Amino acid sequence: MRTRVGAHRLRGLRVRLVVAFALVAALTATTTGALTFREARTGVLQQSQDTVIERLRTQVTRLAPELVLPPGPVELREFAAEVAGAEPSGAWRVLVVYRGLKATSAPDDPFGELTPALREAVNSRSATVFQRVNHADHTALVVGMSVAFTTSVSGGWPPSGLRVFLTVPQTTEQAYVDALVTAVERAAVPALALAVLLALLAARGVLRPVRALRDATRSIAEGRLDTRLAVDGSDELAELSHTFNETAAALEESVAELRGMEARARRFAADVSHELRTPLAAMSAVTDVLDEDAAGLDPDTAIAVRLISEETVKLARLVDDLMEISRFDAGAVVLHLDEIDLAESLRRTLASRGWTDLVDARLPEPDALRGRVDPRRLDVVVANLVGNALRHGARPVGLRLHEAVGPGAGRRAVIEVLDSGPGIPEGVLPHVFERFYKSDAARSRTEGSGLGLAITEENVRMHGGTVRAANRPEGGAVFTVELPLRRDEPAGEERA
């Protein structure tokens, strides 16, 4: 799962880089193309417009002095035809207006390109005006100008009342513009492809150290604390790799120190427990003798003897529990698995400790539920839980055993130990299986060693099972043990 998530993140980063580069390239290409297109279009149209206006002025200036004012319809038509003749290709169409008369260079030409706005502009000013219009299925340039008298009167050039309008289809210019659009579009595709290629190369360069950092982090998480990254260059990624190496070195040093301390602590506990066993055995023998003679001693001495005997038993139990915990920590615990009748094993546990009459046992019939477990360790698990319920809970104490089958979990034996006491405080529940945990910090001594539930959890875990503590809705605590039923495995030994 971790690998798939890491790969997904790297793919996501690569995609984001490529998309970012592509967007920047597309935006740059579009902006550059739009600016280039606008400038080129303006240049093409400006040049065409200037050429047409200059040629129209020249032609009108040349022909206007020959026109007799006021002209008749025939003169106006001839004047319009002569002005249109300035363009050899015949693309010019001319409309000449003199007061109420008008004539066109082409017979019956409606001159639909002329707009009211252009007509009004020509009537109101003496300068040449122009306008680009879309008419029918083409774009045309329409130019209008007023013709002044050719003789100076009072220092000015008074208008003659003659108006000349010219329309020129801009087919060639439109072809140039279309070619520009096509060129911009064709240039954008290679630019986008180049941007994607550069993005892939950049992503590869960025993701290579990121991928190496991911692999190194996973290696550290798997316990290989000597993992280091190669530091190349002096950029931010190189600085990150250097920081990672420093962190990994500090972590390796700290973990090595902690492991050494833990090993020394385990060795110390094991050595102390081992050294205590011999004197404790001798003390137990002495206290047994003193217990037998306690009835003949004076009361104060008898009380002291019984106190020493009880404390010696507790100390011996604590030493045994410490030895057991040290074996778990050292990984030296061996399971001796055997297929047994689980209900019969639980009955023997209760009988051997004299709890048969104290515990309400609801167990299956003989041979109804069998499983491969370590009988001695199962006895320890049940004895610890039942003893804990008898000491800290309230009667009646119940013991239940049944089989459960869940999806994906297979067959499981479920052991429940219930009591009728006040239950376990909610703040204590998460810690009940911790070593030496005390719910009351002011309580310095307990009847047990404080390791019983921790040993129970270790034994259950060795069998591949689980143990949990909870409170019953009707009151009291319940400890639930689930052990997998492995009847198909061959008999033998399994090491933790």
Side-chain angles (χ1 to χ4, degrees):
M1 177 63 69
R2 198 182 314 158
T3 302
R4 289 198 295 269
V5 171
H8 174 73
R9 288 176 178 172
L10 288 179
R11 286 197 298 271
L13 182 57
R14 182 183 294 110
V15 170
R16 289 196 295 271
L17 283 173
V18 172
V19 170
F21 269 79
L23 289 177
V24 170
L27 180 61
T28 303
T30 302
T31 304
T32 303
L35 294 175
T36 303
F37 168 74
R38 187 183 69 177
E39 294 299 323
R41 178 178 179 273
T42 301
V44 169
L45 296 179
Q46 185 71 40
Q47 182 180 5
S48 172
Q49 162 197 311
D50 292 345
T51 302
V52 169
I53 292 176
E54 182 64 27
R55 292 177 65 182
L56 175 62
R57 284 175 177 170
T58 302
Q59 189 73 346
V60 171
T61 301
R62 183 177 64 84
L63 297 176
E66 300 176 1
L67 181 65
V68 178
L69 297 178
V74 176
E75 288 80 3
L76 283 179
R77 188 164 45 252
E78 291 177 352
F79 182 77
E82 289 178 352
V83 172
E87 175 58 42
S89 64
W92 283 16
R93 291 164 41 231
V94 178
L95 169 65
V96 181
V97 178
Y98 182 78
R99 296 180 181 175
L101 296 177
K102 65 179 181 179
T104 58
S105 59
D108 301 323
D109 188 347
F111 219 88
E113 293 88 350
L114 182 59
T115 63
L118 183 64
R119 187 190 298 272
E120 179 64 26
V122 172
N123 291 336
S124 61
R125 68 187 69 175
S126 59
T128 303
V129 296
F130 66 90
Q131 184 181 26
R132 296 186 187 91
V133 297
N134 292 320
H135 181 72
D137 58 348
H138 67 279
T139 301
L141 174 66
V142 182
V143 182
M145 61 183 299
S146 296
V147 180
F149 284 116
T150 57
T151 58
S152 175
V153 177
S154 302
W157 296 90
S160 63
L162 187 67
R163 309 285 188 267
V164 179
F165 299 95
L166 166 68
T167 178
V168 182
Q170 294 193 302
T171 306
T172 303
E173 290 78 3
Q174 187 62 42
Y176 288 153
V177 171
D178 293 342
L180 284 174
V181 172
T182 302
V184 170
E185 291 176 349
R186 291 178 178 176
V189 174
L192 186 59
L194 179 61
V196 172
L197 178 60
L198 292 176
L200 290 174
L201 294 176
R204 181 180 179 184
V206 171
L207 293 181
R208 185 184 298 112
V210 173
R211 189 179 294 109
L213 180 60
R214 178 202 62 189
D215 295 339
T217 304
R218 183 180 299 119
S219 179
I220 290 287
E222 292 172 352
R224 295 188 289 273
L225 301 180
D226 58 342
T227 303
R228 298 293 184 272
L229 290 173
V231 180
D232 298 324
S234 58
D235 56 7
E236 289 80 0
L237 291 174
E239 184 178 352
L240 178 61
S241 299
H242 181 70
T243 303
F244 174 85
N245 290 341
E246 291 181 343
T247 305
L251 178 62
E252 183 180 17
E253 182 179 353
S254 299
V255 170
E257 183 177 354
L258 289 174
R259 287 175 176 171
M261 294 172 60
E262 183 182 8
R264 290 191 296 270
R266 285 199 304 266
R267 186 162 53 250
F268 174 78
D271 292 344
V272 169
S273 301
H274 180 74
E275 294 298 328
L276 285 175
R277 297 190 74 174
T278 300
L280 278 175
M283 291 173 62
S284 297
V286 172
T287 55
D288 289 342
V289 174
L290 292 176
D291 282 339
E292 294 177 358
D293 298 335
L297 301 176
D298 62 271
D300 292 340
T301 304
I303 292 174
V305 167
R306 292 190 180 95
L307 180 61
I308 292 174
S309 178
E310 291 175 359
E311 294 301 323
T312 300
V313 171
K314 291 180 183 179
L315 184 58
R317 186 183 301 119
L318 175 59
V319 169
D320 289 339
D321 288 345
L322 286 173
M323 290 289 292
E324 186 74 356
I325 284 292
S326 65
R327 282 193 290 267
F328 279 120
D329 291 342
V333 176
V334 176
L335 284 180
H336 298 276
L337 298 179
D338 191 13
E339 185 172 323
I340 62 172
D341 181 353
L342 298 180
E344 181 61 26
S345 176
L346 268 59
R347 290 189 183 96
R348 285 197 298 267
T349 297
L350 298 179
S352 64
R353 291 165 175 81
W355 293 341
T356 303
D357 296 333
L358 302 177
V359 177
D360 177 22
R362 299 182 184 180
L363 307 176
E365 296 296 326
D367 287 329
L369 186 58
R370 301 181 64 86
R372 293 190 72 246
V373 298
D374 186 326
R376 185 182 72 83
R377 297 194 177 277
L378 179 61
D379 175 77
V380 171
V381 169
V382 176
N384 281 343
L385 294 180
V386 174
N388 185 72
L390 290 172
R391 286 192 300 270
H392 303 293
R395 300 177 188 174
V397 172
L399 177 62
R400 309 285 185 264
L401 171 65
H402 63 274
E403 180 181 350
V405 179
R411 299 174 58 244
R412 305 184 309 280
V414 180
I415 303 172
E416 293 179 327
V417 177
L418 314 91
D419 65 62
S420 303
I424 305 173
E426 292 297 327
V428 176
L429 276 175
H431 308 286
V432 293
F433 295 104
E434 295 180 5
R435 301 175 185 181
F436 299 110
Y437 179 77
K438 297 178 181 180
S439 59
D440 184 1
R443 182 165 53 88
S444 60
R445 287 180 54 80
T446 60
E447 185 176 349
S449 66
L451 294 173
L453 291 180
I455 292 175
T456 297
E457 184 182 41
E458 292 290 346
N459 280 314
V460 172
R461 182 185 60 81
M462 290 278 295
H463 284 84
T466 60
V467 58
R468 60 184 180 273
N471 289 316
R472 303 164 61 199
E474 59 271 25
V478 55
F479 286 81
T480 304
V481 175
E482 293 189 9
L483 300 176
L485 295 176
R486 300 176 293 185
R487 298 186 58 181
D488 296 331
E489 298 181 5
E493 296 183 355
E494 294 184 3
R495 180 175 295 272

